[in-house]
Amino acid sequence: MTDPFSGGFDPRMFENVPLFRELAKVMSWTGGPVNWDLAAQTALAVAKPGAAGEPAGTLPAGEAAAEPATGRADQELARAVDVAELWLDQVTALPAVEGPVRALGRGEWTRLACTSGGLGVYVEPVAAGMSSALAKGLPQELEAMGGAMNQAMGSMGAMLYGMQIGTVAGHLAGQLLGTYDLGVPTVDPRTIGTVGDTAEQFARDYDFEATEFTYWLALRETAHRRQFAGVDWLRGHVGDLIGRFAADADLDPTRLMDQLGQLGMGPGMENPLDPAALQEALGQPGAFEVEPTAAQKATLDRLQALVAFTEGWVSTVVAAASDGKLPALPRIEEAVSRRRAAKGPGERFLQQLVGLDLQPQDVRMGRAFCEAVITARGQAGLDRAWRQPGHLPSTEELREPSRWLVRMAGAELESD
């Protein structure tokens, strides 16, 4: 049989060229608005898992999470969680939730977080909006190509967000104390645990007794799990708010195309794609950052109030549950507050992707609200907030707890 490409150009010659093979794989992505394969690869490159201090249970690169590990770190954390659940049962009626307790290595957390069910809950709505804007901004000559070009632009948007979110996850893997350290779950909400050796190093840096710090972290993680895995509507509510934030964005297709051109990958580009330069560009704060609209600011205000309340609630119940049990609690809280104020690159990138910018004063406001409500109505009165989304306090109510108390009293009268 005669080779149809004999004596001429054979496109198959590029099959063994790594750059073109990887580019073809990236541009054929059809798994949604974020290329999670690329995100995981980028995150693992940034996180550099396998460094000294990785706890038991770390998986080799490329392997999926398997059954819970039985290493000493897992066992110690699991014992602390069991005790923390008993302590929390004494101060709140919000029930405990069963789930895996893991001392996650950086690589293992990265692979769990770089999925639609991990960080995707917060970033996929925004990524979908950008992909839609890219498709609308096509020049007429490219728009005439129809579905094929739309698919290409969708894959390009998924690639851009995959690399940027991978950079976020890679930095977070070296910063997070636990899976709920951002105030929202970064993996499946039923799974709680440490990430890498950051918590251990943090305790050493501030001279906290290791066991006491582990119990404090276990209390925080289990309290958050009672919220996000125990309140069946909460995580979906957060996702709805972020979806609304994305829908209200004013994404200028022309500006996005200009940004792509500056990266050397806009339509009709003359220079070949330089993956290293692209990754460096997307690893800079502000890549594809847009000014929030008035509608987005209103949504962010609600989201900010929600996270401030969840953090305040956790801080309040942890203090009550550990009363007389953790002598270093005030010092731990002060150190964590200072750490929160000094945002790392992971938090800064996530802030630019989603818009959430939680400050220490927000957490203090949330805790002051919870303490005021408990003084007036007890913990049961505060836990009314978890009955339905409409019971969550607004920013104004966080500042003036009496307004929320009056609103809840009115709701009680109506129900009666």
Side-chain angles (χ1 to χ4, degrees):
M1 180 176 178
T2 304
D3 185 349
F5 298 105
S6 178
F9 172 72
D10 184 354
R12 293 173 299 180
M13 71 177 66
F14 292 108
E15 290 180 354
N16 294 320
V17 180
L19 171 60
F20 285 93
R21 185 172 63 245
E22 289 304 310
L23 183 58
K25 185 192 304 182
V26 166
M27 295 306 289
S28 64
W29 172 264
T30 58
V34 176
N35 187 325
W36 289 111
D37 291 344
L38 185 59
Q41 293 172 21
T42 304
L44 289 168
V46 173
K48 297 179 177 60
E54 284 279 66
T58 302
L59 299 180
E63 290 190 12
E67 293 298 318
T70 57
R72 187 179 67 180
D74 291 281
Q75 294 173 356
E76 291 176 353
L77 185 60
R79 284 195 294 269
V81 166
D82 287 341
V83 173
E85 296 285 24
L86 293 175
W87 290 354
L88 288 172
D89 283 341
Q90 298 172 21
V91 297
T92 177
L94 205 62
V97 177
E98 293 185 0
V101 177
R102 303 295 309 277
L104 296 168
R106 293 181 185 179
E108 190 175 1
W109 175 86
T110 296
R111 283 181 284 272
L112 293 173
C114 288
T115 61
S116 293
L119 295 176
V121 172
Y122 318 111
V123 298
E124 280 195 341
V126 183
M130 192 195 78
S131 296
S132 176
L134 283 174
K136 293 177 182 177
L138 288 175
Q140 288 185 350
E141 58 273 18
L142 295 180
E143 194 173 310
M145 298 177 64
M149 182 51 65
N150 286 335
Q151 168 62 38
M153 295 307 293
S155 298
M156 183 180 293
M159 175 184 69
L160 295 173
Y161 262 91
M163 295 184 73
Q164 195 172 10
I165 293 164
T167 303
V168 170
H171 285 298
L172 287 175
Q175 296 173 219
L176 297 180
L177 298 174
T179 59
Y180 276 99
D181 202 21
L182 294 180
V184 292
T186 54
V187 297
D188 185 308
R190 293 168 299 176
T191 300
I192 59 175
T194 53
V195 180
D197 67 333
T198 306
E200 182 181 344
Q201 184 62 50
F202 185 81
R204 283 200 300 267
D205 289 345
Y206 285 91
D207 197 28
F208 298 134
E209 200 277 320
T211 301
E212 185 174 3
F213 188 76
T214 298
Y215 275 73
W216 171 83
L217 186 60
L219 273 169
R220 260 189 61 86
E221 292 279 306
T222 51
H224 272 304
R225 181 165 68 177
R226 291 187 182 211
Q227 295 172 332
F228 284 94
V231 180
D232 56 6
W233 50 263
L234 181 57
R235 201 179 190 212
H237 183 62
V238 172
D240 289 343
L241 288 175
I242 293 175
R244 187 174 305 171
F245 169 81
D248 289 334
D250 183 14
L251 295 171
D252 182 357
T254 303
R255 180 173 177 270
L256 288 174
M257 288 297 176
D258 289 343
Q259 288 174 313
L260 288 177
Q262 292 169 11
L263 296 176
M265 54 184 303
M269 65 181 182
E270 297 179 359
N271 299 320
L273 177 66
D274 181 350
L278 176 61
Q279 183 167 350
E280 181 180 355
L282 291 175
Q284 300 300 317
F288 297 102
E289 184 179 8
V290 295
E291 182 67 23
T293 64
Q296 283 185 302
K297 290 178 181 178
T299 300
L300 279 177
D301 185 68
R302 294 180 60 192
L303 186 61
Q304 197 101 347
L306 168 58
V307 180
F309 171 65
T310 60
E311 280 285 288
W313 185 90
V314 166
S315 179
T316 303
V317 298
V318 165
S322 62
D323 185 30
K325 305 179 183 73
L326 301 180
L329 180 64
R331 288 199 304 121
I332 292 174
E333 290 182 335
E334 175 61 27
V336 170
S337 179
R338 288 200 299 269
R339 179 177 178 271
R340 185 188 298 276
K343 288 186 175 68
E347 289 95 332
R348 291 197 299 270
F349 280 124
L350 196 61
Q351 173 191 336
Q352 288 158 354
L353 283 172
V354 181
L356 184 62
D357 181 19
L358 194 67
Q359 301 290 336
Q361 57 265 30
D362 296 316
V363 179
R364 288 194 293 269
M365 180 174 66
R367 180 165 179 173
F369 168 86
C370 293
E371 290 173 346
V373 172
I374 290 173
T375 299
R377 298 294 302 272
Q379 184 68 42
L382 178 63
D383 288 346
R384 283 178 56 90
W386 304 121
R387 294 185 183 178
Q388 57 175 284
H391 283 187
L392 291 171
S394 65
T395 302
E396 292 75 17
E397 289 171 334
L398 287 177
R399 295 193 184 102
E400 298 182 46
S402 60
R403 298 175 64 171
W404 186 82
L405 288 166
V406 170
R407 182 162 69 88
M408 289 300 98
E412 287 181 357
L413 290 175
E414 288 182 8
S415 63
D416 289 342

